[in-house]
Amino acid sequence: RKHNIPSTFIDRKAFPNTDAFDAEMAKQLKQAGVEVVLLIGYKRIVHQPLLDAFPSHIWNIHPSLLPAFNGKFDADVHQEVLDAGVKVSGATLHIVTEDVDKGPILFQEAVPIVEGETSDSLKQKVQSVEMEMIVRSIREYGEGTLSPFKDEKRV
């Protein structure tokens, strides 16, 4: 809303299963001319019909540096990072594939972990980086400087 980005609500309950829901979502996205789908927490909503409709054009922002700490959501990943005793976390923007958090990485940015860091404080720092990364990826894709494949031609 803040950036005047059009939105459409599709009621999941109106469909008999997730594949039918994804197929409708893919149809509406294609009709709207959508080129890239940016998601957070995608494994909750993305299934094969959508992956097939937008190969390499569904991107997910993950709240850690992949490949470490994959398959986790939000606060869980921040606590796991802290429990591991690492000195840096961050965010990763990657292409969504069938494997959880294992698609090709488009961007990564580190976030230092300081003494006394909590899951909530780390989450806040990482989310700030994620927001900047999402805006940067949209801008660079629109400018033609970011393509999911090096041989992909954008018009």
Side-chain angles (χ1 to χ4, degrees):
R1 292 179 191 148
K2 179 180 174 184
H3 299 286
N4 296 318
I5 298 172
S7 61
T8 301
F9 176 75
I10 305 169
D11 186 359
R12 164 62 184 96
K13 295 174 187 169
F15 296 88
N17 57 50
T18 55
D19 283 352
F21 174 70
D22 268 19
E24 178 62 24
M25 194 167 16
K27 177 181 153 195
Q28 288 197 29
L29 290 169
K30 291 242 184 224
Q31 286 174 344
V34 169
E35 292 182 38
V36 174
V37 179
L38 287 168
L39 301 172
I40 299 171
Y42 72 95
K43 278 302 176 183
R44 298 176 190 173
I45 62 170
V46 174
H47 302 92
Q48 203 59 50
L50 197 56
L51 289 171
D52 291 344
F54 290 91
S56 303
H57 290 267
I58 300 176
W59 302 346
N60 180 57
I61 191 80
H62 182 76
S64 77
L65 296 176
L66 293 177
F69 309 106
N70 65 357
K72 304 287 185 198
F73 293 109
D74 204 24
D76 293 341
V77 75
H78 302 303
Q79 190 58 54
E80 188 173 315
V81 165
L82 293 173
D83 292 346
V86 297
K87 301 297 181 202
V88 66
S89 186
T92 303
L93 182 73
H94 68 95
I95 296 173
V96 173
T97 63
E98 293 177 23
D99 294 329
V100 176
D101 298 330
K102 294 187 180 171
I105 293 171
L106 297 169
F107 287 117
Q108 282 190 311
E109 189 166 328
V111 172
I113 296 174
V114 297
E115 183 76 29
E117 194 84 69
T118 66
S119 179
D120 287 339
S121 66
L122 182 57
K123 175 181 176 178
Q124 186 176 19
K125 290 182 349 185
V126 169
Q127 283 182 341
S128 177
V129 167
E130 287 176 326
M131 287 185 271
E132 291 171 11
M133 194 177 290
I134 288 170
V135 171
R136 185 174 69 216
S137 68
I138 292 168
R139 183 182 61 248
E140 289 187 18
Y141 183 80
E143 293 170 349
T145 57
L146 173 65
S147 288
F149 292 113
K150 61 182 173 193
D151 60 346
E152 181 179 82
K153 302 243 188 297
R154 296 217 41 245
V155 186

